[in-house]
Amino acid sequence: MQKGKLLGWMLAAVLLSACKKSDDTEDENNGNWKELPEMSASPRSEAVAFVIGDTAYVGTGFDGEKQLRDFWKYNPANGWSQSASLPAAAAARSSATAFVIDKNAYVGTGFDGKVRLNDFWSYHPDKGYWEKKAPLVGPDPSINLARRDAVSFTVNGKGYVATGSDGSGTKDVWMYDPLADKWIARQSFGGSKRTEAVAFVLGKNAYIVTGTNNSELKNDLWMYDADSDNWTQKNKIANVSDDSFDDDYNIVTTQAVAFTVNNRAYVVTGTGNGVSKATWEYDGVSDRWTQVRDFEGAARYGAVSFVLGGKGHVASGRTGSLQLDDIYLFEPNATYNEND
């Protein structure tokens, strides 16, 4: 073979290999986002979401002008329809929090446009109504525990509310006993005060991560063992160690969302160093994060998330001053499909 033809063949082979590698990278099984029909509700941010059975509920929030009290339910087979709004006795609100115990949801705290709130309301889907529950108060009711932008989770049949802003960041943790309709103080969060964090549950342990305090984005991750009422610090979510595992970490954010699928947690979107579309997967066994398929909607913060049918969902939120009403489904380990 002539030298010129050999070089040409080698160059073509290199280019073909490069193209094939790019295609393989694009088709890696690192997740796929799929856009679903938009919410029937008005665009909003800083709402709450919860799942009971095979139905997700999204409600409250801020539409750019006012706080909201309406709720909407979503089922993949039936789409969106309106659900029972918070009752008139409950203030419209944004930046609230929600958790589910058994088949009842609990929604509380938040901001009504003027003041922070400490009330809680329970939704009974089988009866379609809201019931007032004990407000978030401690042993000394003169101490105001009202807050916004808290996190919540459910472990061992108890609900938990932690962190948030009462004017500045907080780190207290409160457990709700549904049988006694009572709030009980638990061990304070192990990290520093913060607001606008996220929480998720893996197995019997809850985790709190991200958020901000005094305009400083937080990079620590903490695990909570409800049985021992103890917090344990895990690896940080930024490149701060001398090891290589965190060299590419860029997870530090605020106003993100989190959900859990197949014993992996996912932290998505948020803002901090710019508005994010990143999706990060957390393995609680190895205590490691992996960046997977970027969120395919508009970069946003103040969204909601939930899990239906073993798939994560991210909906609503805002980008700048624009409120959003779209919704995307995430399938972990699926092959990327650019056409959905």
Side-chain angles (χ1 to χ4, degrees), residues 44 48 50 58-61 67-72 82-94 96-98 105-112 117 119-123 128-132:
R44 66 192 64 201
V48 298
F50 55 84
V58 177
T60 69
Q67 273 70 28
L68 305 169
R69 63 159 44 88
D70 61 331
F71 269 84
W72 296 76
Q82 192 157 12
S83 184
S85 299
L86 282 177
R93 68 195 65 201
S94 59
T97 195
Y106 297 80
V107 174
T109 69
F111 180 64
D112 70 358
L117 305 169
D119 59 336
F120 261 85
W121 299 81
S122 177
Y123 180 65
Y129 75 92
W130 291 88
E131 179 183 8
K132 189 173 184 178

Side-chain angles (χ1 to χ4, degrees), residues 27-77:
D27 290 337
E28 284 178 354
N29 295 331
N30 65 350
N32 183 59
W33 289 94
K34 179 179 180 181
E35 186 173 11
L36 300 177
E38 65 188 24
M39 297 169 54
S40 297
S42 60
R44 66 192 64 201
S45 60
E46 301 168 54
V48 298
F50 55 84
V51 172
I52 300 176
D54 60 358
T55 301
Y57 297 78
V58 177
T60 69
F62 181 66
D63 68 1
E65 297 182 354
K66 63 184 182 301
Q67 273 70 28
L68 305 169
R69 63 159 44 88
D70 61 331
F71 269 84
W72 296 76
K73 58 185 179 180
Y74 172 75
N75 179 282

Side-chain angles (χ1 to χ4, degrees), residues 152-156 158 160 198-208 223-224 258-266 282:
S152 60
F153 52 87
T154 302
V155 178
N156 295 337
K158 303 291 193 297
Y160 291 79
V198 298
F200 55 84
V201 175
L202 291 173
K204 294 179 62 176
N205 297 319
Y207 297 74
I208 294 178
M223 182 184 75
Y224 178 65
F259 55 83
T260 302
V261 176
N262 296 333
N263 209 33
R264 296 285 190 276
Y266 297 85
Y282 179 68

Side-chain angles (χ1 to χ4, degrees), residues 60-270:
T60 69
F62 181 66
D63 68 1
E65 297 182 354
K66 63 184 182 301
Q67 273 70 28
L68 305 169
R69 63 159 44 88
D70 61 331
F71 269 84
W72 296 76
K73 58 185 179 180
Y74 172 75
N75 179 282
N78 302 317
W80 290 94
S81 60
Q82 192 157 12
S83 184
S85 299
L86 282 177
R93 68 195 65 201
S94 59
S95 305
T97 195
F99 55 85
V100 173
I101 301 176
D102 295 328
K103 295 182 179 180
N104 297 320
Y106 297 80
V107 174
T109 69
F111 180 64
D112 70 358
K114 294 182 179 179
V115 299
R116 297 170 187 86
L117 305 169
N118 73 340
D119 59 336
F120 261 85
W121 299 81
S122 177
Y123 180 65
H124 304 268
D126 54 338
K127 301 176 181 178
Y129 75 92
W130 291 88
E131 179 183 8
K132 189 173 184 178
K133 292 296 184 178
L136 178 58
V137 294
D140 184 353
S142 67
I143 299 176
N144 186 6
L145 299 179
R147 66 195 62 205
R148 61 181 294 175
D149 296 309
V151 299
S152 60
F153 52 87
T154 302
V155 178
N156 295 337
K158 303 291 193 297
Y160 291 79
V161 171
T163 67
S165 172
D166 62 2
S168 60
T170 64
K171 59 180 294 181
D172 52 341
V173 178
W174 297 89
M175 181 185 77
Y176 178 72
D177 182 342
L179 296 180
D181 189 26
K182 181 179 179 180
W183 292 92
I184 302 167
R186 305 300 283 167
Q187 182 66 41
S188 291
F189 173 61
S192 61
K193 299 176 181 179
R194 72 195 57 203
T195 186
E196 300 174 346
V198 298
F200 55 84
V201 175
L202 291 173
K204 294 179 62 176
N205 297 319
Y207 297 74
I208 294 178
V209 68
T210 70
T212 183
N213 188 42
N214 295 320
S215 299
E216 178 186 13
L217 295 170
K218 311 307 293 184
N219 67 2
D220 50 345
L221 167 65
W222 291 80
M223 182 184 75
Y224 178 65
D225 183 333
D227 292 336
S228 62
D229 189 25
N230 184 62
W231 291 92
T232 302
Q233 187 168 16
K234 311 300 285 184
N235 286 320
K236 292 189 175 182
I237 60 171
N239 181 16
V240 295
S241 79
D242 294 330
D243 296 323
S244 61
F245 72 87
D246 59 1
D247 287 352
D248 295 325
Y249 281 13
N250 185 24
I251 312 168
V252 179
T253 188
T254 188
Q255 296 188 61
V257 295
F259 55 83
T260 302
V261 176
N262 296 333
N263 209 33
R264 296 285 190 276
Y266 297 85
V267 172
V268 190
T269 67

